Amino acid sequence: MLGDDAGVRAAYDAHGAELYRFCLRLLGDRGAAEDAVQETFVRAWRAADRYDPARASLRTWLFAIARNVVIDASRVRASRPPVAAQDGDHEPTTQDAVDRVLLACGLETALREISTDQRHAIMEIAYRGRTSADVARELGTSDSTVRSRLFYGLKALRTTMQQMGWTDVG
Amino acid sequence: MSANDHDRWRELIGLAALAPLDPAEDAELRAHLADCSWCRRDAEHLRAMAALLPAADPWSAAVEPDPALRERIVAAVGDTRRRDTRRDRLQRALAVAAAAVFLVGVGAVLNRPAPGPTLEEVALADVPADVAADAALITHTGGTELVLTVDGLQDGQDYVVTFVSDAGERVSAGTFIGVDDRPVVCRMNAAVLRNEASAFEVATPDGRLVMRADI
């Protein structure tokens, strides 16, 4: 899987950008996020013989490693005295905070993967609080079509989240 | 129940997961869910899915990492792979060397009543970053033996091993040739007594020091 350069490239192409966004959101610094993604892949390679694809997807496994890398990195930063104004006060990132960001990143990735029509229906109704009739009018389609997109969009989102390793999505 | 009926329930279930239905639709759906386990299951799944949505910021830009990160990671994993492989090979070679010394010891015990040789581990200094090495000494009646296991040296390069005595005298323990695809295990002997030896050095014939140990 990560056994050679081609395997590392394939894993990075599939999950690197998403891992980066996850690390960036928690560490708040592009350089630190890149270092964390690199450390994730190095640790993954070292632990590759313990990876069982029957138990977890590669994505789930990489994110479990990245989660630990970020917690370790934030502990190191929190223990370091701030030397410059931009260092600010770093609280160590709690596991709860990491898990919230993990969920947010998963949802945002899943939202990008479902169809445009379904995503539009969910965005307008769930996040903008509009009514299905209002959205239907704007699109020049029927209320029933928009509601149907909501149903299948939520189903597709759930399936995508499950494929990404989330088991608590109903 | 017709397929059209189910289309109607799905429209209500999807919307109900995200927003309140009007009272008539709400009563209609509740009545149906009481009777239909399939739709009840869909409604539960979608409600659980919808409950997670506030955790996301769907308008967040999909920030992309620096394009150079991909190859930086390939190189970092490659370096780790080579270093770990070299360390594993070194550990295997050391195990073989230790077993050989043990067998010599067993042979000595079987052939004569004198005690077998014991390995005295020594700490190496100035070892280049891309070289893995381990060293041990064996005290002999007529001199000192160095068991040197080293991986990652330059292929085909000659190396000279020299002991230094307490008096500053330099005593050659011999030479060996580097290989880069497997660890080299060298057993070198110097005509200096263990209790009079203070250091040894590994260097190229032109005098470039590769590693050393204070002993």
Side-chain angles (χ1 to χ4, degrees):
Chain A
M1 177 233 359
L2 296 175
D4 56 13
D5 290 353
V8 176
R9 283 192 185 95
Y12 180 85
D13 290 345
H15 307 292
E18 200 192 345
L19 282 165
Y20 172 73
R21 288 192 280 271
F22 167 66
C23 296
L24 180 62
R25 198 174 290 188
L26 283 160
L27 297 171
D29 174 277
R30 294 185 75 103
E34 289 184 359
D35 289 347
V37 177
Q38 179 174 320
E39 177 63 16
T40 298
F41 276 88
V42 168
R43 286 195 198 179
W45 181 80
R46 285 208 158 121
D49 56 343
R50 295 198 294 277
Y51 170 61
D52 178 3
R55 290 188 54 206
S57 68
L58 177 60
R59 182 192 178 282
T60 302
W61 187 62
L62 287 171
F63 270 85
I65 296 170
R67 187 178 174 282
N68 291 334
V69 169
V70 167
I71 289 171
D72 290 350
S74 88
R75 277 190 194 134
V76 168
R77 286 186 350 160
S79 67
R80 215 184 283 152
V83 291
Q86 67 263 31
D87 269 10
D89 292 326
H90 285 297
E91 291 295 321
T93 306
T94 63
Q95 298 200 358
D96 280 355
V98 172
D99 289 340
R100 274 197 301 277
V101 172
L102 200 54
L103 173 63
C105 287
L107 279 166
E108 287 154 25
T109 298
L111 276 166
R112 278 190 278 271
E113 290 191 7
I114 64 174
S115 85
T116 310
D117 287 343
Q118 292 171 352
R119 179 171 57 250
H120 183 258
I122 291 174
M123 295 281 278
E124 295 303 311
I125 293 165
Y127 290 103
R128 289 205 161 101
R130 295 174 68 190
T131 66
S132 56
D134 187 23
V135 176
R137 247 190 321 276
E138 181 190 71
L139 295 174
T141 185
S142 69
D143 189 11
S144 145
T145 298
V146 173
R147 290 180 178 207
S148 175
R149 285 174 186 169
L150 265 191
F151 176 88
Y152 288 106
L154 285 172
K155 277 216 140 189
L157 211 49
R158 178 174 180 269
T159 305
T160 307
M161 291 291 282
Q162 283 176 326
Q163 284 166 350
M164 283 164 36
W166 293 90
T167 52
D168 53 350
V169 284
Chain B
M1 185 180 300
S2 72
N4 281 346
D5 283 339
H6 260 111
D7 285 346
R8 167 76 180 146
W9 303 129
R10 284 172 186 151
E11 290 165 17
L12 292 178
I13 289 167
L15 188 59
L18 292 169
L21 298 177
D22 72 41
E25 286 179 331
D26 188 51
E28 190 187 352
L29 180 60
R30 279 175 192 276
H32 175 67
L33 293 184
D35 287 341
C36 178
S37 60
W38 282 97
C39 285
R40 203 159 53 235
R41 199 197 52 181
D42 272 347
E44 283 164 10
H45 287 167
L46 265 52
R47 211 177 297 126
M49 182 64 241
L52 297 178
L53 291 177
D57 172 9
W59 290 282
S60 70
V63 188
E64 295 296 322
D66 181 343
L69 180 61
R70 182 180 191 252
E71 289 311 306
R72 210 178 96 193
I73 285 174
V74 170
V77 174
D79 283 349
T80 307
R81 187 188 303 132
R82 280 184 288 279
R83 215 170 25 241
D84 286 5
T85 305
R86 189 171 288 159
R87 194 194 55 210
D88 290 349
R89 285 191 320 214
L90 185 68
Q91 282 169 348
R92 278 198 298 276
L94 275 173
V96 170
V101 169
F102 174 74
L103 289 175
V104 169
V106 169
V109 168
L110 290 177
N111 290 327
R112 56 193 170 85
T118 53
L119 276 175
E120 176 194 349
E121 297 274 344
V122 293
L124 288 160
D126 303 331
V127 182
D130 53 350
V131 171
D134 206 279
L137 299 175
I138 301 170
T139 301
H140 292 291
T141 313
T144 305
E145 180 178 355
L146 166 65
V147 181
L148 179 67
T149 310
V150 58
D151 197 3
L153 287 178
Q154 193 182 330
D155 197 33
Q157 169 72 51
D158 287 352
Y159 293 92
V160 180
V161 180
T162 308
F163 276 76
V164 182
S165 75
D166 291 338
E169 186 191 2
R170 297 178 66 80
V171 183
S172 171
T175 59
F176 66 92
I177 300 170
V179 294
D180 63 359
D181 61 343
R182 59 188 182 279
V184 181
V185 183
C186 312
R187 305 181 68 109
M188 333 270 301
N189 283 281
V192 56
L193 296 178
R194 172 65 192 92
N195 59 7
E196 292 176 2
S198 62
F200 70 81
E201 297 171 358
V202 179
T204 55
D206 57 4
R208 184 171 53 83
L209 185 68
V210 178
M211 63 186 78
R212 62 183 307 281
D214 287 320
I215 54 176

